[in-house]
Amino acid sequence: MRSDFYKIAVIGGDKRQVYLARILAKKGYVVSVYGLCERIHDERIQEAASLKEALKNVEAAVGPAPFIRSGKVTGTYEVSDINIEVLFDELPENAVFFAGNIPDEVKRYAEGKGIRVYDMMKDELVAARNAVATAEGTVTEAITRSPVNLTKSRCLVLGYGRCGSVLTRLLKSLFCRVFVSEKDETRAADAFILADGIVSEAELTDAVENVDFIFNTVPERILPEEKLRNVGKNTWILDIASAPGGVDYRAAEVLSVNAVLLPGLPGRYAPASSAEILADFIESQVELR
């Protein structure tokens, strides 16, 4: 289908959505936007006055990644008419909806309305490319927050999936001593080649006491109160797992542990590059239709 006949609405989110709208417009798509984090100021893009207007006659709509945060569409807390019911009621039947980390119940609701749903973060190539922006943002946060140099520091990476493996390679390039904790035996074996040591689950309580940085990528409570009691006074825990993260934040506050949940790092540190990744995925699906 020719791009100049294909209308896409971009709604909500962070600066990735702003860059995404511009990229799609530059490619020739008809683009409408609503509820973005800032004004577009591009004559090729229609800034709609309502969600209903933005979705009129569209073939596709693009929501944020993650799609939902704190029970609402991400980044649209001041826009009252952007909610799941209005969104999927106003999207034309047989339209395509793109977003990231879409809850299963939301996907079922949309598909029940005749909407085809694509979770961009479940695509292997998107996730792999996105991990680079996440890792770079995490390193930036570590450098900004800690009183010690990241270079040649002692780091503990929890989880060796996409983000954990990319982050480990980046930390090693900064001459850090990196220890990895990973339950999966195959991933742990992969980590063994690059890391300075593998930390078992039984060793984790002691391991958190002897590092400058702890980077968590595991989306489960991997750092409960009993482990947080051993974390050093100057150690920083940077949690990049999906909300609610892997840290007992209430206990961390009581114990004065330096811990922070860092959602949406690609949108803060590499919105243009991240938008290019999303645009490539969207265009690949549009071309298949």
Side-chain angles (χ1 to χ4, degrees):
M1 180 179 289
R2 283 174 51 187
S3 60
D4 56 343
F5 282 100
Y6 200 95
K7 184 177 181 182
I8 303 178
V10 179
I11 62 170
D14 51 35
K15 290 198 71 171
R16 283 174 289 185
Q17 299 290 88
V18 175
Y19 282 99
L20 177 61
R22 291 175 178 149
I23 291 167
L24 292 173
K26 187 176 181 180
K27 288 176 176 288
Y29 293 95
V30 179
V31 179
S32 62
V33 298
Y34 183 64
L36 302 192
C37 64
E38 63 182 55
R39 295 289 303 278
I40 288 286
H41 302 299
D42 189 322
E43 61 183 14
R44 299 170 299 182
I45 298 172
Q46 175 199 359
E47 295 193 72
S50 67
L51 180 58
K52 183 176 182 178
E53 180 184 331
L55 298 176
K56 186 176 181 180
N57 298 325
V58 299
E59 278 79 30
V62 187
F67 180 45
I68 301 292
R69 185 177 291 155
S70 302
K72 298 183 179 181
V73 176
T74 303
T76 60
Y77 307 119
E78 304 302 322
V79 186
S80 60
D81 65 334
I82 295 188
N83 58 64
I84 292 168
E85 290 76 16
V86 173
L87 172 61
F88 295 121
D89 283 346
E90 295 296 338
L91 260 177
E93 191 174 355
N94 297 320
V96 183
F97 180 71
F98 300 93
N101 304 121
I102 305 170
D104 289 339
E105 62 271 21
V106 173
K107 184 175 181 180
R108 288 193 295 269
Y109 180 83
E111 290 175 341
K113 297 276 188 178
I115 308 299
R116 188 182 302 176
V117 177
Y118 290 100
D119 191 327
M120 298 182 288
M121 292 301 112
K122 289 186 177 180
D123 180 80
E124 289 294 329
L125 183 56
V126 170
R129 294 173 67 186
N130 202 57
V132 174
T134 300
E136 289 185 3
T138 305
V139 165
T140 302
E141 289 280 347
I143 292 170
T144 301
R145 293 174 182 275
S146 177
V148 303
N149 286 337
L150 179 59
T151 300
K152 293 191 176 182
S153 65
R154 292 173 60 89
C155 302
L156 173 61
V157 177
L158 306 179
Y160 199 74
R162 293 188 192 93
C163 287
S165 59
V166 174
L167 179 58
T168 297
R169 288 194 292 272
L170 187 55
L171 292 171
K172 289 298 295 180
S173 74
L174 293 170
F175 307 104
C176 299
R177 293 198 67 198
V178 184
F179 301 87
V180 172
S181 178
E182 171 57 64
K183 292 181 181 179
D184 183 88
E185 291 184 1
T186 301
R187 289 180 176 178
D190 289 340
F192 178 81
I193 298 171
L194 185 62
D196 294 283
I198 303 300
V199 177
S200 69
E201 191 173 3
E203 297 169 327
L204 193 55
T205 300
D206 291 331
V208 299
E209 188 175 5
N210 300 306
V211 292
D212 302 299
F213 298 92
I214 300 171
F215 300 94
N216 178 54
T217 71
V218 181
E220 60 185 61
R221 186 63 63 83
I222 194 170
L223 292 174
E225 181 177 353
E226 57 267 28
K227 288 185 173 60
L228 292 175
R229 290 185 180 278
N230 279 22
V231 173
K233 182 179 180 181
N234 292 321
T235 300
W236 265 95
I237 302 174
L238 296 104
D239 191 353
I240 59 174
S242 301
V247 178
D248 183 339
Y249 284 97
R250 183 173 298 180
E253 184 176 1
V254 172
L255 296 169
S256 298
V257 172
N258 301 314
V260 60
L261 182 63
L262 298 168
L265 288 176
R268 276 187 270 169
Y269 290 104
S273 297
S274 299
E276 288 280 1
I277 296 169
L278 302 182
D280 287 347
F281 176 79
I282 292 166
E283 193 161 39
S284 71
Q285 299 304 317
V286 167
E287 290 174 352
L288 290 173
R289 295 193 71 200

